[in-house]
Amino acid sequence: MPAHFLATLPNFMAYLSAAIVLLVVFVAIYLYVTPYDEIALIRSNNTAAAISLSGAVLGFAMPIANVIAHSDTLLDLAVWGVIAGIVQLLAWGVARVALPTLKEDIAAGRAAPATFVATLSITVGLLNAACLGY
C-alpha cells in the first residue's frame, strides 16, 4: 500500500466518522420531530414512510458530502452539518404546512404526499449542497 494512502487514512476515518455521527444525529432529530413513527411504519411495510424518510436522509447527505469535499477542518464539517440539518428540518416544516394531513397520509401509506416530501427534501438538499461549494 503506498505511503500516501496510509498518510491520509486518519483524515479519511475522521471525516467519515464525523459524517456518520452527523447523519445519526440528524436522523434521530428528524424522527423525533415528525409526528409519526417512521421506523415502526417502515417495519410494517409502509412505503410512504420509507419514501419520506429516505428523501430526508438523502437531502441531508448531499450537503454533508459537499462540505467534506470542500472543507478544511472537521469544525467546518460540524458547523455546516448543523446548518444543513436545520435547513432540512425547515423543508419538512414547509411540507407539513403545505400538506396539513401529512401525518395521516404517511401513516395511511399514501405514496403521493410522501413522494412530495422526499422530492422537496432532496431538492432542498441539492440546493443547499450547491450553496456550500465555497
Side-chain angles (χ1 to χ4, degrees), residues 65-89:
N66 198 32
V67 169
I68 290 170
H70 295 98
S71 69
D72 295 328
T73 66
L74 287 172
L75 181 59
D76 280 349
L77 175 57
V79 170
W80 289 113
V82 169
I83 293 169
I86 291 168
V87 169
Q88 280 302 309
L89 293 172

PDB file of all heavy atoms in Angstrom, residues 65-89:
ATOM      1  N   ALA A  65     -21.814  15.683   2.067  1.00  0.00           N
ATOM      2  CA  ALA A  65     -20.796  15.217   1.116  1.00  0.00           C
ATOM      3  C   ALA A  65     -20.062  16.388   0.482  1.00  0.00           C
ATOM      4  O   ALA A  65     -18.833  16.351   0.313  1.00  0.00           O
ATOM      5  CB  ALA A  65     -21.451  14.348   0.040  1.00  0.00           C
ATOM      6  N   ASN A  66     -20.792  17.432   0.134  1.00  0.00           N
ATOM      7  CA  ASN A  66     -20.163  18.593  -0.485  1.00  0.00           C
ATOM      8  C   ASN A  66     -19.237  19.319   0.495  1.00  0.00           C
ATOM      9  O   ASN A  66     -18.166  19.774   0.116  1.00  0.00           O
ATOM     10  CB  ASN A  66     -21.225  19.546  -1.029  1.00  0.00           C
ATOM     11  CG  ASN A  66     -20.656  20.515  -2.022  1.00  0.00           C
ATOM     12  OD1 ASN A  66     -19.711  20.198  -2.757  1.00  0.00           O
ATOM     13  ND2 ASN A  66     -21.207  21.703  -2.065  1.00  0.00           N
ATOM     14  N   VAL A  67     -19.656  19.415   1.734  1.00  0.00           N
ATOM     15  CA  VAL A  67     -18.806  20.065   2.737  1.00  0.00           C
ATOM     16  C   VAL A  67     -17.535  19.254   2.944  1.00  0.00           C
ATOM     17  O   VAL A  67     -16.447  19.812   3.059  1.00  0.00           O
ATOM     18  CB  VAL A  67     -19.567  20.267   4.065  1.00  0.00           C
ATOM     19  CG1 VAL A  67     -18.629  20.676   5.180  1.00  0.00           C
ATOM     20  CG2 VAL A  67     -20.651  21.311   3.888  1.00  0.00           C
ATOM     21  N   ILE A  68     -17.656  17.937   2.980  1.00  0.00           N
ATOM     22  CA  ILE A  68     -16.462  17.102   3.133  1.00  0.00           C
ATOM     23  C   ILE A  68     -15.499  17.353   1.974  1.00  0.00           C
ATOM     24  O   ILE A  68     -14.292  17.479   2.173  1.00  0.00           O
ATOM     25  CB  ILE A  68     -16.838  15.612   3.216  1.00  0.00           C
ATOM     26  CG1 ILE A  68     -17.534  15.326   4.539  1.00  0.00           C
ATOM     27  CG2 ILE A  68     -15.601  14.725   3.047  1.00  0.00           C
ATOM     28  CD1 ILE A  68     -18.157  13.953   4.629  1.00  0.00           C
ATOM     29  N   ALA A  69     -16.034  17.464   0.784  1.00  0.00           N
ATOM     30  CA  ALA A  69     -15.185  17.676  -0.394  1.00  0.00           C
ATOM     31  C   ALA A  69     -14.512  19.040  -0.395  1.00  0.00           C
ATOM     32  O   ALA A  69     -13.458  19.198  -0.999  1.00  0.00           O
ATOM     33  CB  ALA A  69     -16.015  17.501  -1.666  1.00  0.00           C
ATOM     34  N   HIS A  70     -15.101  20.031   0.290  1.00  0.00           N
ATOM     35  CA  HIS A  70     -14.585  21.393   0.209  1.00  0.00           C
ATOM     36  C   HIS A  70     -14.094  21.984   1.524  1.00  0.00           C
ATOM     37  O   HIS A  70     -13.613  23.105   1.534  1.00  0.00           O
ATOM     38  CB  HIS A  70     -15.655  22.325  -0.374  1.00  0.00           C
ATOM     39  CG  HIS A  70     -15.994  22.003  -1.783  1.00  0.00           C
ATOM     40  ND1 HIS A  70     -17.098  21.254  -2.117  1.00  0.00           N
ATOM     41  CD2 HIS A  70     -15.379  22.303  -2.946  1.00  0.00           C
ATOM     42  CE1 HIS A  70     -17.141  21.116  -3.432  1.00  0.00           C
ATOM     43  NE2 HIS A  70     -16.116  21.735  -3.955  1.00  0.00           N
ATOM     44  N   SER A  71     -14.238  21.259   2.620  1.00  0.00           N
ATOM     45  CA  SER A  71     -13.882  21.862   3.905  1.00  0.00           C
ATOM     46  C   SER A  71     -12.408  21.662   4.229  1.00  0.00           C
ATOM     47  O   SER A  71     -11.757  20.756   3.727  1.00  0.00           O
ATOM     48  CB  SER A  71     -14.742  21.294   5.030  1.00  0.00           C
ATOM     49  OG  SER A  71     -14.411  19.950   5.266  1.00  0.00           O
ATOM     50  N   ASP A  72     -11.936  22.530   5.088  1.00  0.00           N
ATOM     51  CA  ASP A  72     -10.543  22.454   5.526  1.00  0.00           C
ATOM     52  C   ASP A  72     -10.411  21.785   6.886  1.00  0.00           C
ATOM     53  O   ASP A  72      -9.343  21.294   7.233  1.00  0.00           O
ATOM     54  CB  ASP A  72      -9.933  23.857   5.603  1.00  0.00           C
ATOM     55  CG  ASP A  72      -9.848  24.522   4.245  1.00  0.00           C
ATOM     56  OD1 ASP A  72      -9.668  23.808   3.246  1.00  0.00           O
ATOM     57  OD2 ASP A  72      -9.980  25.753   4.188  1.00  0.00           O
ATOM     58  N   THR A  73     -11.486  21.789   7.663  1.00  0.00           N
ATOM     59  CA  THR A  73     -11.403  21.261   9.025  1.00  0.00           C
ATOM     60  C   THR A  73     -12.670  20.486   9.374  1.00  0.00           C
ATOM     61  O   THR A  73     -13.716  20.654   8.748  1.00  0.00           O
ATOM     62  CB  THR A  73     -11.248  22.402  10.053  1.00  0.00           C
ATOM     63  OG1 THR A  73     -12.445  23.186  10.059  1.00  0.00           O
ATOM     64  CG2 THR A  73     -10.039  23.283   9.729  1.00  0.00           C
ATOM     65  N   LEU A  74     -12.552  19.698  10.410  1.00  0.00           N
ATOM     66  CA  LEU A  74     -13.719  18.996  10.924  1.00  0.00           C
ATOM     67  C   LEU A  74     -14.718  19.978  11.536  1.00  0.00           C
ATOM     68  O   LEU A  74     -15.920  19.716  11.529  1.00  0.00           O
ATOM     69  CB  LEU A  74     -13.301  17.956  11.959  1.00  0.00           C
ATOM     70  CG  LEU A  74     -12.611  16.710  11.397  1.00  0.00           C
ATOM     71  CD1 LEU A  74     -12.077  15.842  12.529  1.00  0.00           C
ATOM     72  CD2 LEU A  74     -13.552  15.915  10.517  1.00  0.00           C
ATOM     73  N   LEU A  75     -14.220  21.098  12.031  1.00  0.00           N
ATOM     74  CA  LEU A  75     -15.120  22.123  12.564  1.00  0.00           C
ATOM     75  C   LEU A  75     -16.026  22.664  11.453  1.00  0.00           C
ATOM     76  O   LEU A  75     -17.221  22.873  11.663  1.00  0.00           O
ATOM     77  CB  LEU A  75     -14.342  23.254  13.230  1.00  0.00           C
ATOM     78  CG  LEU A  75     -15.178  24.368  13.852  1.00  0.00           C
ATOM     79  CD1 LEU A  75     -16.119  23.813  14.918  1.00  0.00           C
ATOM     80  CD2 LEU A  75     -14.288  25.454  14.428  1.00  0.00           C
ATOM     81  N   ASP A  76     -15.457  22.905  10.262  1.00  0.00           N
ATOM     82  CA  ASP A  76     -16.271  23.316   9.105  1.00  0.00           C
ATOM     83  C   ASP A  76     -17.383  22.299   8.860  1.00  0.00           C
ATOM     84  O   ASP A  76     -18.541  22.658   8.663  1.00  0.00           O
ATOM     85  CB  ASP A  76     -15.429  23.398   7.824  1.00  0.00           C
ATOM     86  CG  ASP A  76     -14.626  24.667   7.698  1.00  0.00           C
ATOM     87  OD1 ASP A  76     -14.848  25.593   8.489  1.00  0.00           O
ATOM     88  OD2 ASP A  76     -13.778  24.713   6.797  1.00  0.00           O
ATOM     89  N   LEU A  77     -17.009  21.035   8.865  1.00  0.00           N
ATOM     90  CA  LEU A  77     -17.982  19.970   8.628  1.00  0.00           C
ATOM     91  C   LEU A  77     -19.075  19.994   9.690  1.00  0.00           C
ATOM     92  O   LEU A  77     -20.261  19.914   9.366  1.00  0.00           O
ATOM     93  CB  LEU A  77     -17.288  18.608   8.607  1.00  0.00           C
ATOM     94  CG  LEU A  77     -18.184  17.379   8.495  1.00  0.00           C
ATOM     95  CD1 LEU A  77     -19.067  17.436   7.268  1.00  0.00           C
ATOM     96  CD2 LEU A  77     -17.340  16.117   8.504  1.00  0.00           C
ATOM     97  N   ALA A  78     -18.693  20.148  10.933  1.00  0.00           N
ATOM     98  CA  ALA A  78     -19.673  20.145  12.017  1.00  0.00           C
ATOM     99  C   ALA A  78     -20.625  21.336  11.911  1.00  0.00           C
ATOM    100  O   ALA A  78     -21.851  21.179  12.006  1.00  0.00           O
ATOM    101  CB  ALA A  78     -18.963  20.148  13.364  1.00  0.00           C
ATOM    102  N   VAL A  79     -20.085  22.526  11.690  1.00  0.00           N
ATOM    103  CA  VAL A  79     -20.919  23.733  11.618  1.00  0.00           C
ATOM    104  C   VAL A  79     -21.871  23.660  10.431  1.00  0.00           C
ATOM    105  O   VAL A  79     -23.085  23.874  10.573  1.00  0.00           O
ATOM    106  CB  VAL A  79     -20.047  25.003  11.554  1.00  0.00           C
ATOM    107  CG1 VAL A  79     -20.883  26.228  11.227  1.00  0.00           C
ATOM    108  CG2 VAL A  79     -19.298  25.191  12.864  1.00  0.00           C
ATOM    109  N   TRP A  80     -21.337  23.349   9.269  1.00  0.00           N
ATOM    110  CA  TRP A  80     -22.193  23.278   8.088  1.00  0.00           C
ATOM    111  C   TRP A  80     -23.148  22.097   8.163  1.00  0.00           C
ATOM    112  O   TRP A  80     -24.252  22.140   7.616  1.00  0.00           O
ATOM    113  CB  TRP A  80     -21.363  23.254   6.810  1.00  0.00           C
ATOM    114  CG  TRP A  80     -20.731  24.576   6.546  1.00  0.00           C
ATOM    115  CD1 TRP A  80     -19.397  24.873   6.576  1.00  0.00           C
ATOM    116  CD2 TRP A  80     -21.401  25.810   6.245  1.00  0.00           C
ATOM    117  NE1 TRP A  80     -19.209  26.210   6.307  1.00  0.00           N
ATOM    118  CE2 TRP A  80     -20.410  26.809   6.101  1.00  0.00           C
ATOM    119  CE3 TRP A  80     -22.726  26.172   6.090  1.00  0.00           C
ATOM    120  CZ2 TRP A  80     -20.716  28.130   5.803  1.00  0.00           C
ATOM    121  CZ3 TRP A  80     -23.039  27.492   5.796  1.00  0.00           C
ATOM    122  CH2 TRP A  80     -22.036  28.447   5.656  1.00  0.00           C
ATOM    123  N   GLY A  81     -22.749  21.035   8.854  1.00  0.00           N
ATOM    124  CA  GLY A  81     -23.647  19.906   9.059  1.00  0.00           C
ATOM    125  C   GLY A  81     -24.862  20.294   9.886  1.00  0.00           C
ATOM    126  O   GLY A  81     -25.990  19.908   9.579  1.00  0.00           O
ATOM    127  N   VAL A  82     -24.633  21.084  10.929  1.00  0.00           N
ATOM    128  CA  VAL A  82     -25.746  21.572  11.743  1.00  0.00           C
ATOM    129  C   VAL A  82     -26.661  22.462  10.901  1.00  0.00           C
ATOM    130  O   VAL A  82     -27.892  22.335  10.945  1.00  0.00           O
ATOM    131  CB  VAL A  82     -25.223  22.320  12.986  1.00  0.00           C
ATOM    132  CG1 VAL A  82     -26.345  23.072  13.695  1.00  0.00           C
ATOM    133  CG2 VAL A  82     -24.549  21.348  13.943  1.00  0.00           C
ATOM    134  N   ILE A  83     -26.064  23.342  10.116  1.00  0.00           N
ATOM    135  CA  ILE A  83     -26.864  24.219   9.253  1.00  0.00           C
ATOM    136  C   ILE A  83     -27.659  23.397   8.240  1.00  0.00           C
ATOM    137  O   ILE A  83     -28.853  23.645   8.020  1.00  0.00           O
ATOM    138  CB  ILE A  83     -25.970  25.271   8.562  1.00  0.00           C
ATOM    139  CG1 ILE A  83     -25.420  26.240   9.617  1.00  0.00           C
ATOM    140  CG2 ILE A  83     -26.726  26.007   7.452  1.00  0.00           C
ATOM    141  CD1 ILE A  83     -24.322  27.151   9.133  1.00  0.00           C
ATOM    142  N   ALA A  84     -27.031  22.398   7.646  1.00  0.00           N
ATOM    143  CA  ALA A  84     -27.734  21.539   6.681  1.00  0.00           C
ATOM    144  C   ALA A  84     -28.907  20.830   7.353  1.00  0.00           C
ATOM    145  O   ALA A  84     -29.989  20.693   6.759  1.00  0.00           O
ATOM    146  CB  ALA A  84     -26.771  20.521   6.078  1.00  0.00           C
ATOM    147  N   GLY A  85     -28.729  20.381   8.576  1.00  0.00           N
ATOM    148  CA  GLY A  85     -29.805  19.730   9.303  1.00  0.00           C
ATOM    149  C   GLY A  85     -30.965  20.670   9.571  1.00  0.00           C
ATOM    150  O   GLY A  85     -32.137  20.303   9.400  1.00  0.00           O
ATOM    151  N   ILE A  86     -30.644  21.893   9.959  1.00  0.00           N
ATOM    152  CA  ILE A  86     -31.685  22.889  10.211  1.00  0.00           C
ATOM    153  C   ILE A  86     -32.458  23.181   8.928  1.00  0.00           C
ATOM    154  O   ILE A  86     -33.691  23.261   8.935  1.00  0.00           O
ATOM    155  CB  ILE A  86     -31.075  24.176  10.803  1.00  0.00           C
ATOM    156  CG1 ILE A  86     -30.572  23.899  12.224  1.00  0.00           C
ATOM    157  CG2 ILE A  86     -32.084  25.317  10.790  1.00  0.00           C
ATOM    158  CD1 ILE A  86     -29.705  25.003  12.807  1.00  0.00           C
ATOM    159  N   VAL A  87     -31.747  23.320   7.824  1.00  0.00           N
ATOM    160  CA  VAL A  87     -32.401  23.584   6.537  1.00  0.00           C
ATOM    161  C   VAL A  87     -33.339  22.429   6.175  1.00  0.00           C
ATOM    162  O   VAL A  87     -34.468  22.649   5.718  1.00  0.00           O
ATOM    163  CB  VAL A  87     -31.352  23.843   5.432  1.00  0.00           C
ATOM    164  CG1 VAL A  87     -31.993  23.859   4.054  1.00  0.00           C
ATOM    165  CG2 VAL A  87     -30.612  25.147   5.701  1.00  0.00           C
ATOM    166  N   GLN A  88     -32.906  21.194   6.397  1.00  0.00           N
ATOM    167  CA  GLN A  88     -33.763  20.047   6.095  1.00  0.00           C
ATOM    168  C   GLN A  88     -34.998  20.017   6.987  1.00  0.00           C
ATOM    169  O   GLN A  88     -36.093  19.701   6.523  1.00  0.00           O
ATOM    170  CB  GLN A  88     -32.985  18.741   6.244  1.00  0.00           C
ATOM    171  CG  GLN A  88     -32.121  18.412   5.068  1.00  0.00           C
ATOM    172  CD  GLN A  88     -32.914  18.305   3.779  1.00  0.00           C
ATOM    173  OE1 GLN A  88     -33.918  17.608   3.690  1.00  0.00           O
ATOM    174  NE2 GLN A  88     -32.460  18.994   2.759  1.00  0.00           N
ATOM    175  N   LEU A  89     -34.831  20.357   8.238  1.00  0.00           N
ATOM    176  CA  LEU A  89     -35.986  20.393   9.134  1.00  0.00           C
ATOM    177  C   LEU A  89     -36.959  21.493   8.729  1.00  0.00           C
ATOM    178  O   LEU A  89     -38.182  21.320   8.822  1.00  0.00           O
ATOM    179  CB  LEU A  89     -35.530  20.562  10.583  1.00  0.00           C
ATOM    180  CG  LEU A  89     -34.766  19.360  11.157  1.00  0.00           C
ATOM    181  CD1 LEU A  89     -34.195  19.708  12.526  1.00  0.00           C
ATOM    182  CD2 LEU A  89     -35.640  18.123  11.214  1.00  0.00           C
TER     183      LEU A  89
END
